[in-house]
């Protein structure tokens, strides 16, 4: 087994790739705590904090209070601030790791995990702060990713846009693997995980330096899995046993044209990652920008309407998204940074 010194475990790649499944499998281990992520780095990393720890912690606290999957533990803001200021150059990820470390302690675990797949953009930052961190690069057939995103409230509804994201994020993950090596970044194919879970979970545990525990193969029986499945229709499968039923979902979820659009963008990475496709299939030209916007808007309306009827966290998501837009407006030069939720 590799020596990890209880470093964190981060799932990277593209959303709608089975990251909730992998999160819950890891969380079922007695030594690992993996909460649902508020996506701190995704929403805050573009803001020019210039080392202002108070502002970073304040905005992160706001995100956590408005998280669409609330954490069961209260986070001590003063303790986060103190932990983040211990280094010579306080960083946003230093703040984030202090949040996760408090969660780990509250859960009685030895190490924490993060399933925000967007952390694929921050691998170097993480390792600069926590050299013993390990990354699980989770990859899934991009056609199935696009089909899943098309009916989910998370991710781009238009398959072509989702394909562009998938291709870009796989390239980032591939570059991280090449730069840091297989001792730091481990590739996990969703299709292999659900087809041979015992073998793949053992390989993951070998990589992170942990013993396999039986509960990892029965993640769906945990309270965390039941809570996740109950919050949103987009997460309903979190409460299901591991299954191969969703391999090839694009055959039902994408039209032939959409499938060809996805393949036209992702063909090179699909070939590298061993996802077969019909190379003789005629290439589909990229859809026009207006078509992407209009089609995406129409599908989004239908998805939002369904979410309004089925999801318990629908309004929390709206509130969070509106708040994030306010946070991003503060990127403009000359704006005074004020932690979210405070008046100027």
């Amino acid at each position: 087994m590799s020596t990890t010194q209880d470093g964190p475990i981060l799932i990277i790649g593209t959303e709608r790739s089975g990251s909730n499944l992998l999160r819950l499998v890891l969380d079922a281990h007695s030594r690992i705590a993996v909460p649902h992520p508020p996506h701190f780095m995704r929403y805050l990393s573009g803001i020019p904090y210039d080392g202002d720890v108070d502002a970073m912690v304040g905005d992160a606290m706001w995100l956590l209070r408005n998280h669409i999957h609330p954490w069961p533990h209260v986070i001590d803001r003063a303790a986060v601030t103190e932990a983040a200021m211990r280094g010579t150059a306080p960083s946003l990820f230093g703040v984030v790791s202090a949040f996760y470390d408090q969660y780990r302690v509250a859960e009685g675990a030895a190490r924490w995990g993060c399933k925000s797949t967007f952390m694929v953009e921050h691998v170097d930052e993480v390792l600069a702060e926590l050299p013993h961190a390990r990354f699980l690069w989770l990859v899934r057939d991009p056609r199935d990713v696009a089909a899943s995103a098309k009916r989910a409230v998370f991710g781009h509804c238009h398959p072509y846009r989702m394909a562009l994201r998938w291709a870009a994020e796989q390239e980032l993950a591939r570059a991280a693997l090449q730069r840091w090596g297989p001792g730091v970044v481990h590739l996990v194919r969703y299709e292999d995980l659900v087809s041979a879970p015992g073998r793949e979970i053992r390989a993951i545990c070998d990589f992170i330096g942990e013993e396999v525990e039986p509960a990892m193969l029965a993640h769906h029986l945990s309270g965390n899995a039941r809570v996740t499945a109950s919050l949103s229709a987009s997460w309903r499968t979190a409460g299901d046993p591991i299954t191969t039923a969703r391999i090839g979902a694009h055959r039902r979820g994408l039209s032939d044209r959409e499938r060809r659009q996805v393949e036209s963008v992702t063909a090179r990475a699909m070939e590298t990652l061993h996802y077969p496709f019909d190379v003789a299939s005629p290439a589909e030209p990229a859809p026009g920008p207006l078509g992407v916007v209009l089609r995406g808007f129409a599908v989004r309306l239908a998805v939002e309407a369904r979410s309004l009827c089925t999801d318990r966290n629908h309004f929390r998501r709206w509130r969070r998204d509106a708040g994030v837009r306010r946070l991003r407006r503060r990127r403009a030069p000359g704006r005074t940074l004020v932690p979210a939720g405070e008046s100027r």
Side-chain angles (χ1 to χ4, degrees):
M1 291 186 181
S2 60
T3 301
T4 61
Q5 297 189 17
D6 293 342
I9 306 153
L10 296 95
I11 301 169
I12 58 174
T14 301
E15 58 186 339
R16 312 311 300 170
S17 295
S19 56
N20 254 323
L21 166 63
L22 185 52
R23 173 181 81 86
L24 291 165
V25 166
L26 292 171
D27 188 65
H29 195 287
S30 62
R31 285 177 35 87
I32 306 171
V34 193
H36 194 279
H39 300 303
F40 295 118
M41 295 297 288
R42 178 191 185 192
Y43 293 131
L44 303 181
S45 62
I47 296 175
Y49 288 109
D50 297 323
D52 188 338
V53 173
D54 253 1
M56 287 188 279
V57 174
D59 288 351
M61 289 293 295
W62 184 92
L63 270 178
L64 187 58
R65 285 195 301 272
N66 292 277
H67 186 22
I68 60 177
H69 193 306
W71 285 11
H73 307 296
V74 175
I75 297 300
D76 184 333
R77 175 172 178 162
V80 168
T81 302
E82 181 184 354
M85 294 185 71
R86 286 178 191 150
T88 54
S91 67
L92 179 58
F93 183 72
V95 169
V96 171
S97 64
F99 273 78
Y100 275 89
D101 206 50
Q102 275 198 40
Y103 183 94
R104 173 193 66 78
V105 171
E107 289 283 301
R111 60 201 303 193
W112 56 264
C114 173
K115 86 132 204 135
S116 183
T117 55
F118 304 98
M119 292 301 293
V120 71
E121 300 178 5
H122 304 283
V123 172
D124 293 356
E125 293 169 66
V126 173
L127 289 168
E129 191 83 28
L130 299 171
H132 298 295
R134 294 294 178 264
F135 297 86
L136 296 173
W137 170 15
L138 179 62
V139 64
R140 184 185 185 191
D141 188 319
R143 296 163 298 191
D144 288 348
V145 170
S148 178
K150 186 179 172 182
R151 61 179 185 276
V153 291
F154 313 110
H156 292 305
C157 285
H158 197 291
Y160 180 76
R161 290 187 67 194
M162 199 64 196
L164 291 172
R165 170 182 285 181
W166 185 91
E169 289 172 339
Q170 304 322 304
E171 176 57 27
L172 287 172
R174 184 205 61 77
L177 173 58
Q178 185 174 46
R179 185 161 59 253
W180 295 102
V184 174
V185 181
H186 176 70
L187 177 63
V188 180
R189 295 175 84 254
Y190 168 82
E191 293 79 9
D192 294 339
L193 178 61
V194 298
S195 298
R199 181 193 68 200
E200 293 302 308
I201 290 172
R202 181 169 299 281
I204 289 169
C205 285
D206 285 346
F207 169 70
I208 62 176
E210 299 288 352
E211 296 291 336
V212 176
E213 293 185 355
M216 301 176 81
L217 286 163
H219 75 282
H220 60 290
L221 300 179
S222 71
N224 285 340
R226 289 193 296 272
V227 169
T228 299
S230 72
L231 288 173
S232 172
S234 297
W235 298 335
R236 68 185 184 279
T237 59
D240 295 345
I242 297 174
T243 174
T244 60
R246 286 172 286 280
I247 295 178
H250 68 275
R251 298 187 183 95
R252 302 178 301 276
L254 296 181
S255 67
D256 286 344
R257 183 182 184 189
E258 289 170 336
R259 175 185 55 76
R260 290 195 301 270
Q261 286 175 346
V262 171
E263 291 173 351
S264 69
V265 172
T266 62
R268 181 180 299 178
M270 286 180 69
E271 186 174 10
T272 300
L273 293 167
H274 308 295
Y275 287 109
F277 61 98
D278 184 3
V279 294
S281 180
E284 185 70 30
L290 182 60
V292 170
V293 171
L294 292 178
R295 175 61 178 161
F297 181 71
V299 175
R300 172 61 65 179
L301 280 179
V303 168
E304 289 288 351
R306 185 169 65 248
S307 174
L308 188 61
C309 298
T310 61
D311 293 357
R312 290 171 52 203
N313 59 1
H314 183 89
F315 292 106
R316 290 185 71 89
R317 180 169 55 81
W318 278 8
R319 174 177 167 80
R320 180 206 62 186
D321 291 350
V324 167
R325 284 192 290 272
R326 289 195 298 271
L327 290 179
R328 286 174 171 171
R329 283 199 293 270
R330 298 188 304 131
R331 296 181 185 185
R335 298 292 296 272
T336 302
L337 284 178
V338 178
E342 297 183 13
S343 58
R344 294 186 184 278

PDB file of all heavy atoms in Angstrom, residues 46-60:
ATOM      1  N   GLY A  46     -12.207  32.569  -8.100  1.00  0.00           N
ATOM      2  CA  GLY A  46     -11.971  33.694  -9.006  1.00  0.00           C
ATOM      3  C   GLY A  46     -12.009  35.050  -8.335  1.00  0.00           C
ATOM      4  O   GLY A  46     -11.763  36.073  -8.991  1.00  0.00           O
ATOM      5  N   ILE A  47     -12.302  35.096  -7.051  1.00  0.00           N
ATOM      6  CA  ILE A  47     -12.437  36.376  -6.349  1.00  0.00           C
ATOM      7  C   ILE A  47     -11.062  36.827  -5.845  1.00  0.00           C
ATOM      8  O   ILE A  47     -10.339  36.057  -5.221  1.00  0.00           O
ATOM      9  CB  ILE A  47     -13.432  36.245  -5.175  1.00  0.00           C
ATOM     10  CG1 ILE A  47     -14.819  35.912  -5.723  1.00  0.00           C
ATOM     11  CG2 ILE A  47     -13.475  37.513  -4.332  1.00  0.00           C
ATOM     12  CD1 ILE A  47     -15.871  35.635  -4.668  1.00  0.00           C
ATOM     13  N   PRO A  48     -10.674  38.086  -6.112  1.00  0.00           N
ATOM     14  CA  PRO A  48      -9.336  38.571  -5.712  1.00  0.00           C
ATOM     15  C   PRO A  48      -9.289  38.931  -4.227  1.00  0.00           C
ATOM     16  O   PRO A  48      -9.370  40.095  -3.847  1.00  0.00           O
ATOM     17  CB  PRO A  48      -9.147  39.809  -6.597  1.00  0.00           C
ATOM     18  CG  PRO A  48     -10.531  40.332  -6.821  1.00  0.00           C
ATOM     19  CD  PRO A  48     -11.421  39.112  -6.879  1.00  0.00           C
ATOM     20  N   TYR A  49      -9.117  37.930  -3.372  1.00  0.00           N
ATOM     21  CA  TYR A  49      -9.118  38.190  -1.933  1.00  0.00           C
ATOM     22  C   TYR A  49      -7.832  38.859  -1.446  1.00  0.00           C
ATOM     23  O   TYR A  49      -7.825  39.481  -0.380  1.00  0.00           O
ATOM     24  CB  TYR A  49      -9.310  36.871  -1.175  1.00  0.00           C
ATOM     25  CG  TYR A  49     -10.696  36.302  -1.281  1.00  0.00           C
ATOM     26  CD1 TYR A  49     -10.936  35.155  -2.029  1.00  0.00           C
ATOM     27  CD2 TYR A  49     -11.771  36.900  -0.631  1.00  0.00           C
ATOM     28  CE1 TYR A  49     -12.214  34.614  -2.122  1.00  0.00           C
ATOM     29  CE2 TYR A  49     -13.047  36.368  -0.719  1.00  0.00           C
ATOM     30  CZ  TYR A  49     -13.263  35.229  -1.466  1.00  0.00           C
ATOM     31  OH  TYR A  49     -14.522  34.702  -1.566  1.00  0.00           O
ATOM     32  N   ASP A  50      -6.745  38.689  -2.186  1.00  0.00           N
ATOM     33  CA  ASP A  50      -5.464  39.288  -1.807  1.00  0.00           C
ATOM     34  C   ASP A  50      -5.077  38.949  -0.368  1.00  0.00           C
ATOM     35  O   ASP A  50      -4.607  39.810   0.398  1.00  0.00           O
ATOM     36  CB  ASP A  50      -5.505  40.808  -1.991  1.00  0.00           C
ATOM     37  CG  ASP A  50      -5.725  41.215  -3.449  1.00  0.00           C
ATOM     38  OD1 ASP A  50      -5.183  40.520  -4.330  1.00  0.00           O
ATOM     39  OD2 ASP A  50      -6.456  42.191  -3.702  1.00  0.00           O
ATOM     40  N   GLY A  51      -5.299  37.703   0.011  1.00  0.00           N
ATOM     41  CA  GLY A  51      -4.881  37.252   1.331  1.00  0.00           C
ATOM     42  C   GLY A  51      -5.789  37.638   2.473  1.00  0.00           C
ATOM     43  O   GLY A  51      -5.452  37.408   3.640  1.00  0.00           O
ATOM     44  N   ASP A  52      -6.954  38.215   2.179  1.00  0.00           N
ATOM     45  CA  ASP A  52      -7.896  38.628   3.226  1.00  0.00           C
ATOM     46  C   ASP A  52      -8.614  37.389   3.770  1.00  0.00           C
ATOM     47  O   ASP A  52      -9.627  36.944   3.240  1.00  0.00           O
ATOM     48  CB  ASP A  52      -8.900  39.621   2.648  1.00  0.00           C
ATOM     49  CG  ASP A  52      -9.801  40.240   3.709  1.00  0.00           C
ATOM     50  OD1 ASP A  52      -9.955  39.623   4.789  1.00  0.00           O
ATOM     51  OD2 ASP A  52     -10.365  41.323   3.478  1.00  0.00           O
ATOM     52  N   VAL A  53      -8.081  36.831   4.855  1.00  0.00           N
ATOM     53  CA  VAL A  53      -8.615  35.590   5.409  1.00  0.00           C
ATOM     54  C   VAL A  53     -10.035  35.781   5.904  1.00  0.00           C
ATOM     55  O   VAL A  53     -10.887  34.907   5.731  1.00  0.00           O
ATOM     56  CB  VAL A  53      -7.707  35.064   6.539  1.00  0.00           C
ATOM     57  CG1 VAL A  53      -8.344  33.861   7.224  1.00  0.00           C
ATOM     58  CG2 VAL A  53      -6.337  34.692   5.987  1.00  0.00           C
ATOM     59  N   ASP A  54     -10.324  36.922   6.526  1.00  0.00           N
ATOM     60  CA  ASP A  54     -11.675  37.177   7.033  1.00  0.00           C
ATOM     61  C   ASP A  54     -12.713  37.096   5.923  1.00  0.00           C
ATOM     62  O   ASP A  54     -13.789  36.518   6.095  1.00  0.00           O
ATOM     63  CB  ASP A  54     -11.748  38.566   7.686  1.00  0.00           C
ATOM     64  CG  ASP A  54     -11.839  38.464   9.189  1.00  0.00           C
ATOM     65  OD1 ASP A  54     -11.834  37.331   9.691  1.00  0.00           O
ATOM     66  OD2 ASP A  54     -11.912  39.518   9.847  1.00  0.00           O
ATOM     67  N   ALA A  55     -12.376  37.712   4.775  1.00  0.00           N
ATOM     68  CA  ALA A  55     -13.315  37.688   3.647  1.00  0.00           C
ATOM     69  C   ALA A  55     -13.474  36.283   3.091  1.00  0.00           C
ATOM     70  O   ALA A  55     -14.586  35.847   2.777  1.00  0.00           O
ATOM     71  CB  ALA A  55     -12.838  38.648   2.551  1.00  0.00           C
ATOM     72  N   MET A  56     -12.378  35.553   2.979  1.00  0.00           N
ATOM     73  CA  MET A  56     -12.442  34.184   2.472  1.00  0.00           C
ATOM     74  C   MET A  56     -13.298  33.314   3.386  1.00  0.00           C
ATOM     75  O   MET A  56     -14.170  32.568   2.924  1.00  0.00           O
ATOM     76  CB  MET A  56     -11.029  33.597   2.347  1.00  0.00           C
ATOM     77  CG  MET A  56     -10.223  34.157   1.193  1.00  0.00           C
ATOM     78  SD  MET A  56      -8.652  33.278   0.929  1.00  0.00           S
ATOM     79  CE  MET A  56      -7.604  34.011   2.176  1.00  0.00           C
ATOM     80  N   VAL A  57     -13.043  33.393   4.683  1.00  0.00           N
ATOM     81  CA  VAL A  57     -13.788  32.574   5.633  1.00  0.00           C
ATOM     82  C   VAL A  57     -15.258  32.980   5.653  1.00  0.00           C
ATOM     83  O   VAL A  57     -16.160  32.132   5.691  1.00  0.00           O
ATOM     84  CB  VAL A  57     -13.176  32.669   7.043  1.00  0.00           C
ATOM     85  CG1 VAL A  57     -14.046  31.930   8.064  1.00  0.00           C
ATOM     86  CG2 VAL A  57     -11.762  32.096   7.050  1.00  0.00           C
ATOM     87  N   GLY A  58     -15.529  34.297   5.588  1.00  0.00           N
ATOM     88  CA  GLY A  58     -16.911  34.763   5.597  1.00  0.00           C
ATOM     89  C   GLY A  58     -17.701  34.258   4.408  1.00  0.00           C
ATOM     90  O   GLY A  58     -18.849  33.801   4.552  1.00  0.00           O
ATOM     91  N   ASP A  59     -17.094  34.322   3.219  1.00  0.00           N
ATOM     92  CA  ASP A  59     -17.785  33.847   2.023  1.00  0.00           C
ATOM     93  C   ASP A  59     -17.975  32.328   2.055  1.00  0.00           C
ATOM     94  O   ASP A  59     -19.016  31.807   1.645  1.00  0.00           O
ATOM     95  CB  ASP A  59     -17.018  34.259   0.767  1.00  0.00           C
ATOM     96  CG  ASP A  59     -17.112  35.745   0.477  1.00  0.00           C
ATOM     97  OD1 ASP A  59     -17.910  36.427   1.144  1.00  0.00           O
ATOM     98  OD2 ASP A  59     -16.380  36.229  -0.414  1.00  0.00           O
ATOM     99  N   ALA A  60     -16.966  31.616   2.545  1.00  0.00           N
ATOM    100  CA  ALA A  60     -17.081  30.159   2.643  1.00  0.00           C
ATOM    101  C   ALA A  60     -18.165  29.771   3.656  1.00  0.00           C
ATOM    102  O   ALA A  60     -18.931  28.825   3.424  1.00  0.00           O
ATOM    103  CB  ALA A  60     -15.741  29.553   3.034  1.00  0.00           C
TER     104      ALA A  60
END
